[in-house]
Amino acid sequence: MSFSTLFPVGINTLRIMIVDDEPIIVEELAEFIEALGYQVTPCHNTRDALQAFQQDEDIGIVLSDMHMPGLTGVQLVGELARLARPGRLYETAIFTGSTDKQDVILALRAGVSDYYQKPVNLQELQAGVQRLHDRVEQKVREQQIRQQIQDLAASLNDMHSELIPTMPVKNVAQMSTSADTIPEPFDKLSRRQLAVAQLIAKGMTNYQISCELGITENTVKLYVSQILRLTRVHNRTQLALCYPSSG
């Protein structure tokens, strides 16, 4: 992941990379942006910029000059997109001293989020950096929601699989599931819930239980929550102490 475990994106963790072949511009912009509370990675050529981007995933905003030796700003943005691992979140902006409208068209086609004319107006830059920061944060939130939905879908699928009688349950608890032989409060549990409860009683962690039963760790967490609610036991330790010996 990135940005110090990805979320929340804080003003002290998201790093801004400034790329320009004119050192004085890099120095001035870096000083200004650092005064806003951000960490800055200064680069004087595109080669160093590509290397820094690959090595530091806390870089979430890239501000680049348009015309530089080697790669143009638009070409740099294209290379960043090629090098970025799937799911990496960042935003880009370009500044230039040229008045050629073609530069703007090329930047927009490349997916650049913002565009500044040199000399850069610092108030506009500050507002722009905040917009880019907000966009990255929004992307992070959306990514987390998608991941939570995927995890929940996988967990529900695992839980639903136990309702299909033709599908065997891996290493299910040996305890009888007859209502006449299971004492309260464990008689309220399903076959899979009993299996999880028995493994908790053996001192297994959620990860170990997931491996033992062939389900996801998130599914185990859901089962544990259900078991504690149904048995009215407050925690795993109490559950292990009151769990009866299997017969």
Side-chain angles (χ1 to χ4, degrees), residues 203-223:
M204 286 191 178
T205 64
N206 287 349
Y207 174 74
Q208 291 171 325
I209 293 172
S210 70
C211 294
E212 181 73 12
L213 297 181
I215 58 179
T216 68
E217 193 170 354
N218 281 330
T219 302
V220 175
K221 292 178 182 178
L222 288 175
Y223 277 126

Side-chain angles (χ1 to χ4, degrees), residues 140-179:
V140 169
R141 285 190 289 267
E142 291 173 354
Q143 186 181 80
Q144 281 204 322
I145 290 172
R146 286 194 297 270
Q147 185 60 53
Q148 289 170 355
I149 291 173
Q150 291 174 3
D151 290 344
L152 179 59
S155 298
L156 291 175
N157 182 66
D158 287 336
M159 295 177 70
H160 181 261
S161 67
E162 72 172 59
L163 302 177
I164 304 175
T166 56
M167 294 186 67
V169 178
K170 179 183 176 182
N171 296 330
V172 180
Q174 298 300 313
M175 181 187 213
S176 170
T177 57
S178 168

